[in-house]
Each structure stands twice: as structure tokens, then as C-alpha cells.
Amino acid sequence: MTALAELELERELEPELAADPVPETVVRLAMWNVLAQDYVDPARYAYVATEALDADRRRDAVIAEVHALLNFADLVVIQEAEPFLAESYANYQHAKVLYAPHPDRSDGLLLLSTVPVTAQVVSLGSRAAILADLDLYGHRVRLVAAHLSDRKSV
């Protein structure tokens, strides 16, 4: 199920969920590993239609899905985000955008936050990470996002 399909399902359920009061302190977090194009191997994904693995088509689909997530979530963390994705949101007015490139690869982590954030991009050895202090309803909450998998074994 795609992220967009999951959001549509959630929206369908919202009237039922609305019966239970939701505290003002609810924050919605979405995380997604988009599979950087460098790791798209048609042999590995033989069950996927060839056109779905096309770089341009995937790029457009990823941008559309991330935009859909931003309509739903307060915080969106994207793993294996390529620079084009960070660049496409560089001037986005509705969220703070932080990009942490991986030190040894062509992708990284992307954080889009609609809640107030002071953050810094840090490194965890050979891995990219984002450390963010969020101001949630007067409380400081620390978010640490990292992509810890190792592509050497893939």
C-alpha cells in the first residue's frame, strides 16, 4: 500500500476517530524510505513493472507522495532522499526543510516539519542523521532521525 493510499484510508476513518476527542498535543509523524534511484535494480524488483522503475516517473511519484504526506503529517522524515527532493522543497513556505546528505552516498535524510524546530544536521560516524529540537505546545521534544541500514549487504 502506498503512503498516499494509507493516508486516504486514514481520512476515511477520521469521522469514526473524531468521536474520540484527540488531545491538542497530538503530533503526526510520517517516515518513508523512498529507495534512492541508485539502489533500483530491475533484477531485484522483477515483480515491479519496468516503467514504475523509471527514474523520471519515480521522481514525479515521490514528489507527489511527499506532498500528500505534508497534507497529513506535522513531521515527515524521508530516508534515502536524493538531492532533487530536498531541492524541490527548498523554498517551501509551509515547513522547515532540513537535508542531511549521507557522507558516502548520493542520498541522505530529509526532514520537513510544520512545527517550530531548531535543528542541526549531524553525523553518526559514516551515517547521516538529523537531530531536531521541536517546540511542541511549549515542550521541547528531541527527534533523532537516522538511516541505519547497510547497503553493502544488498
Side-chain angles (χ1 to χ4, degrees), residues 55-142:
D56 291 332
R57 185 172 176 176
R58 289 187 73 242
R59 177 182 299 220
D60 293 343
V62 166
I63 290 172
E65 291 279 341
V66 170
H67 195 72
L69 288 171
L70 283 169
N71 289 324
F72 169 78
D74 303 300
L75 300 161
V76 176
V77 178
I78 305 296
Q79 297 174 336
E80 296 186 19
E82 295 170 272
F84 80 83
L85 190 56
E87 291 163 7
S88 68
Y89 285 97
N91 297 318
Y92 192 67
Q93 300 293 317
H94 305 290
K96 172 90 172 175
V97 179
L98 292 162
Y99 183 66
H102 191 284
D104 301 323
R105 300 191 321 225
S106 62
D107 60 273
L109 289 170
L110 179 65
L111 169 67
L112 300 127
S113 175
T114 62
V115 298
V117 60
T118 56
Q120 58 185 341
V121 175
V122 297
S123 174
L124 296 175
S126 64
R127 306 195 189 284
I130 294 176
L131 171 70
D133 286 332
L134 308 169
D135 179 7
L136 298 175
Y137 311 102
H139 300 281
R140 186 182 92 173
V141 175
R142 179 157 288 165

Side-chain angles (χ1 to χ4, degrees), residues 34-55:
V34 297
L35 183 64
Q37 191 65 34
D38 284 353
Y39 313 127
V40 174
D41 177 1
R44 184 178 174 96
Y45 298 100
Y47 57 91
V48 177
T50 304
E51 60 272 6
L53 299 176
D54 175 73

Side-chain angles (χ1 to χ4, degrees), residues 4-18:
L4 185 57
E6 289 175 13
L7 291 177
E8 289 171 357
L9 178 61
E10 172 103 7
R11 286 187 187 118
E12 288 176 19
L13 295 175
E14 279 184 359
E16 293 176 29
L17 298 173

